[in-house]
Amino acid sequence: MDQALADIGIISAYRFAGDGSATKLDVTNLDAELADPRGWLWLHFNLANRRCHDWLARSVALSDVARETLLDADEHIRLDIFNEEIAGVLPDLHQEFMQEGDDLLRVHFEISAKLMVTARRKPLRAIELTRRAIDGGRKFPTPVSLFDAIVDQFADVIGRYSAGLGDELDIVENHVLHDEIDDERLRLGRVRLQAIRTRRQLSQIRALFHRMETREDVESETLLSAMRKLAQKFDALDYEFSAIYERARLLQDEIAGRMTAITNRRLFTLSVLTACMLPSTLVTGFFGMNTKDMPFQTGDGGTFYALLLVIAAGALTWWLLRRTKAL
């Protein structure tokens, strides 16, 4: 990262021309860049750097609403429109090195006619993909189009995350159908937890975008059109995660049923063995009473005859259980 950017806590800064093409900013004098009327700016801050808090707190380019939203410690998802200014907090997946993490973090943002400011505490996947798209030449003529792209990237990231959870469920299902369920309950529990946690946040985003569609004070047709498209996309994602959660619940019920069946089979086997051994125990107990006139005491082969009697008692019990259809 450029040292000038790091000194004030900016991760990236771009100026967009009228045709949407972007150039990186030299922010050694950021106030002068903000005063330049050409095009519009995107500034992306690292809230973990205290110097960016100082700049955001004193910047005259930001309204009180924007400053409060960007610096607010409240991480609840929200989206507000004040006249022609948009501010809020939305989720994004954690960017862990070059891979997507499982944690849903937050990006704070403010959008006005000539400026878009975003801020986060940890690296975010959708923001990083959007920045790469800008470096690759993608054009954004307005701040709203960039906001639309960031949220759309988040939707795509969540879509891939959903596909990954679906693959996990495929593996679990194959193991369950082959009665290999030793570690699958733990894996399935993680999938259910991730699915329901993500679905809760998707439901909140859907509700926000649908409310924006019906607000009468929003005059920008571009913004309303973007909200409608994003709402439809998040409707589809919410349906996918609902299906994943329901599938995981059914698999958990299947595992519970199979575990119950395995337990019942083991108890049944134990019960049969106990029933077959009970008469044998009775016979051996009888011969161990040490009373007079005990059979087989005087003749040869008494132990052999007693063993046959034990086996016959067990076999008779087995036959009776089969005859009464207890087995």
Side-chain angles (χ1 to χ4, degrees):
M1 182 186 297
D2 187 271
Q3 185 61 37
L5 297 177
D7 285 345
I8 58 174
I10 296 183
I11 301 168
S12 57
Y14 295 90
R15 179 181 296 281
F16 293 83
D19 62 352
S21 59
T23 55
K24 287 188 176 180
L25 287 181
D26 177 9
V27 294
T28 53
N29 190 352
L30 187 55
D31 292 329
E33 293 285 356
L34 289 168
D36 191 333
R38 295 174 299 169
W40 63 276
L41 305 182
W42 175 33
L43 307 178
H44 184 47
F45 286 89
N46 179 11
L47 289 175
N49 189 324
R50 295 302 306 178
R51 294 185 180 184
C52 86
H53 289 253
D54 299 335
W55 186 89
L56 292 172
R58 66 173 175 79
S59 174
V60 295
L62 299 175
S63 67
D64 291 339
V65 171
R67 191 175 293 107
E68 179 182 349
T69 301
L70 291 169
L71 295 176
D72 195 352
D74 184 8
E75 297 285 84
H76 285 91
I77 296 173
R78 61 185 186 274
L79 180 64
D80 297 307
I81 298 179
F82 305 92
N83 297 323
E84 295 184 358
E85 187 175 26
I86 308 170
V89 179
L90 290 176
D92 194 357
L93 277 178
H94 186 201
Q95 169 81 8
E96 295 180 348
F97 299 102
M98 299 303 293
Q99 298 180 344
E100 299 166 9
D102 294 337
D103 296 331
L104 280 169
L105 305 178
R106 296 291 183 268
V107 55
H108 298 242
F109 66 91
E110 180 275 339
I111 303 171
S112 58
K114 293 288 186 177
L115 179 66
M116 178 173 178
V117 180
T118 55
R120 53 73 168 169
R121 289 181 172 82
K122 293 182 179 180
L124 302 176
R125 184 61 174 170
I127 294 288
E128 176 62 19
L129 290 176
T130 304
R131 188 189 63 77
R132 292 180 189 176
I134 293 172
D135 292 340
R138 186 173 176 182
K139 298 180 178 181
F140 297 102
T142 64
V144 171
S145 64
L146 178 59
F147 171 74
D148 180 29
I150 291 173
V151 180
D152 197 51
Q153 284 282 13
F154 170 68
D156 290 340
V157 168
I158 288 294
R160 291 193 294 273
Y161 184 52
S162 169
L165 293 181
D167 292 340
E168 283 283 311
L169 288 182
D170 290 341
I171 295 172
V172 172
E173 188 171 30
N174 287 336
H175 288 175
V176 170
L177 293 177
H178 287 87
D179 285 333
E180 301 171 0
I181 57 178
D182 292 338
D183 300 324
E184 300 312 310
R185 286 177 295 174
L186 182 59
R187 176 185 286 183
L188 190 58
R190 287 197 300 265
V191 172
R192 286 192 68 183
L193 177 61
Q194 293 166 354
I196 194 61
R197 184 180 61 183
T198 306
R199 187 189 172 195
R200 288 194 194 106
Q201 304 203 38
L202 289 177
S203 298
Q204 294 180 51
I205 298 174
R206 289 178 56 236
L208 286 176
F209 287 148
H210 282 300
R211 281 202 297 271
M212 291 298 108
E213 289 184 81
T214 59
R215 284 185 56 164
E216 296 180 356
D217 58 338
V218 181
E219 298 179 357
S220 172
E221 183 57 37
T222 302
L223 178 59
L224 287 175
S225 176
M227 293 294 176
R228 281 193 288 268
K229 289 190 297 182
L230 291 173
Q232 292 173 0
K233 195 158 191 173
F234 280 103
D235 285 342
L237 286 173
D238 184 68
Y239 176 80
E240 287 181 20
F241 273 91
S242 298
I244 287 174
Y245 180 79
E246 184 64 22
R247 185 182 171 196
R249 188 183 65 80
L250 292 174
L251 275 174
Q252 199 162 41
D253 291 343
E254 176 75 12
I255 289 176
R258 286 177 179 264
M259 290 295 294
T260 301
I262 291 172
T263 301
N264 288 340
R265 285 200 302 269
R266 291 171 179 171
L267 288 174
F268 176 76
T269 302
L270 182 62
S271 299
V272 171
L273 290 174
T274 302
C276 290
M277 293 298 295
L278 186 60
S280 304
T281 304
L282 178 62
V283 171
T284 56
F286 173 79
F287 279 98
M289 289 189 296
N290 295 322
T291 57
K292 277 189 174 184
D293 303 323
M294 186 66 63
F296 313 132
Q297 279 187 330
T298 58
D300 296 332
T303 300
F304 176 73
Y305 295 138
L307 178 61
L308 290 179
L309 187 59
V310 168
I311 295 173
L316 178 62
T317 303
W318 174 267
W319 179 79
L320 289 174
L321 289 174
R322 297 285 293 183
R323 182 67 180 270
T324 57
K325 298 184 179 180
L327 294 180

